[in-house]
Amino acid sequence: MNDESCRLPAATAFDEHAWPTTRQTPVLRLDGDAARACLDDVVEEVPVALVYNGISHAVLLATPSDLEDLALGFSLSEGILASRGELYDSEAVARSSGIEIRMEVATSRFVALKERRRNLAGRTGCGLCGVESLDALARPLEAVPAAEPIPVAAVAAGLAELPDWQQLRRTTGAVHAAAWIGRDGHIRALREDVGRHNALDKLLGHLARNKVAPTDGFVLVSSRASYEMVQKVAALGIGCLVAVSAPTALAIRLAESSGVSLAGFARDQRMVVYAGETGFARNKPAP
């Protein structure tokens, strides 16, 4: 693979006002025999290139908000960076075809990334971005440190707050959310995106940027809990993931092996714990 071919030309500074998260489009609403022409709000989805030391590594289709959080979260959760300190600088820039997040990273991590890119050359049939073999899919993860159990009542409280934080979902109905919820059940941060992995990476980037302790709360996602979702939270040392939909069997096995408490089908006061039942405490959250 020729790295020079991935070098990108200069571009203009990113202007969030030039890349709105929603756009109005004309639609025809049908209700039985009645028809009404009106405008509807739809969410934007744009190509976002992640560029490391001048080399483009991946292109994501994402909602154009919190993009530097997305880049940092992706870099950490995918093992490109081992810590926040290995990212020296980042800048979002706009091109005619999309948005670039240009990052300056530690030399050692960039060298490892270039080797990873070379391993991709000549390989075919892989359905996972950036994964060069089946063995690479199950990259080693350190066991998540043990922490005080999360009160089940805190999960219920976080679920109750979730709709008020999902502004894009209220407007468009077409995005996923990932929320960081404290042990008291209150949402501390939430990120939205058309992609559930993107929403989670945005949240993880925010947590890393603000040096939030991974034992201070848990992640709640408005989607199913797939293998990659468990892998991403485990990579950042977060011990509890709750989903409003179901997990996959592979996600459960990874949660069990990495020490992540995993719950799904979270609704009001109910949820199903699939792994790490000791990570939840059936008591009220602290005031």
Side-chain angles (χ1 to χ4, degrees):
M1 184 177 293
N2 183 1
D3 285 338
E4 292 298 325
S5 66
C6 293
R7 292 192 179 274
L8 300 171
T12 59
F14 173 69
D15 179 3
E16 62 180 9
H17 299 295
W19 297 87
T21 57
T22 64
R23 189 176 302 276
Q24 286 197 326
T25 187
V27 299
L28 182 66
R29 294 190 182 277
L30 302 178
D31 185 0
D33 294 331
R36 178 169 60 93
C38 59
L39 294 176
D40 195 16
D41 291 304
V42 295
V43 70
E44 281 287 4
E45 185 177 30
V46 302
V48 178
L50 303 183
V51 182
Y52 297 89
N53 293 10
I55 302 297
S56 180
H57 173 68
V59 177
L60 311 176
L61 289 172
T63 303
S65 63
D66 304 302
L67 293 182
E68 293 192 34
D69 283 346
L70 171 62
L72 176 57
F74 177 92
S75 301
L76 292 169
S77 70
E78 294 296 325
I80 296 171
L81 301 180
S83 69
R84 165 69 180 86
E86 292 176 334
L87 174 62
Y88 298 151
D89 191 25
S90 66
E91 179 187 16
V93 295
R95 301 179 65 206
S96 59
S97 55
I99 302 167
E100 298 168 14
I101 309 298
R102 296 183 172 182
M103 291 170 277
E104 293 296 325
V105 303
T107 300
S108 61
R109 306 308 295 184
F110 181 58
V111 170
L113 180 61
K114 290 183 70 176
E115 182 62 29
R116 181 171 170 177
R117 286 174 52 79
R118 275 193 287 271
N119 287 337
L120 286 170
R123 299 178 187 265
T124 61
C126 180
L128 294 166
C129 176
V131 175
E132 59 269 19
S133 68
L134 291 176
D135 290 338
L137 171 60
R139 70 175 187 269
L141 290 172
E142 293 185 8
V144 174
E148 288 295 317
I150 297 295
V152 170
V155 177
L159 282 165
E161 290 188 1
L162 193 63
D164 290 337
W165 283 70
Q166 293 180 272
Q167 180 179 351
L168 274 178
R169 183 181 183 277
R170 288 198 305 272
T171 303
T172 68
V175 296
H176 288 293
W180 178 249
I181 301 177
R183 292 179 171 275
D184 58 1
H186 292 301
I187 295 178
R188 301 289 193 267
L190 181 142
R191 294 291 184 266
E192 293 183 283
D193 198 276
V194 289
R196 54 194 172 87
H197 299 95
N198 294 341
L200 180 56
D201 278 333
K202 286 179 178 181
L203 178 69
L204 298 179
H206 166 80
L207 298 179
R209 194 179 302 280
N210 290 277
K211 300 180 180 179
V212 175
T215 56
D216 283 351
F218 65 97
V219 170
L220 172 65
V221 294
S222 66
S223 64
R224 64 186 176 93
S226 61
Y227 177 92
E228 308 98 295
M229 307 287 273
V230 175
Q231 189 178 58
K232 286 176 181 293
V233 299
L236 272 75
I238 295 170
C240 185
L241 173 64
V242 178
V244 300
S245 189
T248 66
L250 188 58
I252 295 169
R253 292 196 291 272
L254 179 60
E256 291 171 339
S257 64
S258 60
V260 172
S261 294
L262 175 63
F265 292 113
R267 300 284 194 282
D268 299 323
Q269 303 289 328
R270 304 186 306 275
M271 65 180 182
V272 179
V273 178
Y274 291 90
E277 63 182 46
T278 58
F280 296 98
R282 292 187 293 273
N283 63 317
K284 294 182 180 180

